Amino acid sequence: MMTKIRAAITGVHGYLPEYILTNEELSKMVDTTDEWIMKMIGIKERRILKGEGKGTSDLGAAAVKGLLERHIPHQKKLIF
């Protein structure tokens, strides 16, 4: 007989890169307009992670750090 696993999500957190690429900026790079992007895709801006060697793991690490800082406030220093 299998034992029931009991777990609960007690906290969530996220992270967004600081750099924001707007439709206006994008329209200067490629042949498009803010109106077309809004009509076809429905977004005004997107967040871009900048920096040599940066990747999705950096986004995850920043989110985890924020989660721990929020839910373990007595922790003075987190090492990442």
Side-chain angles (χ1 to χ4, degrees):
M1 184 168 145
M2 293 184 67
T3 305
K4 239 184 187 180
I5 297 174
R6 295 172 193 235
I9 297 172
T10 60
V12 294
H13 198 75
Y15 174 79
L16 293 173
E18 291 183 26
Y19 179 68
I20 299 172
L21 178 63
T22 64
N23 290 347
E24 183 179 326
E25 289 175 274
L26 188 59
S27 69
K28 294 174 184 174
M29 298 177 207
V30 295
D31 185 24
T32 190
T33 64
D34 174 57
E35 294 79 21
W36 186 88
I37 296 170
M38 283 299 299
K39 179 181 174 188
M40 301 303 285
I41 302 171
I43 62 172
K44 286 292 251 180
E45 62 187 32
R46 68 265 323 128
R47 298 293 182 120
I48 307 293
L49 181 62
K50 288 190 157 196
E52 186 68 32
K54 297 265 184 177
T56 54
S57 60
D58 296 290
L59 298 175
V64 168
K65 182 178 179 188
L67 177 69
L68 292 174
E69 288 172 348
R70 193 167 98 196
H71 289 282
I72 308 174
H74 63 277
Q75 182 72 28
K76 294 293 182 199
K77 186 174 182 179
L78 297 172
I79 300 169
F80 279 86

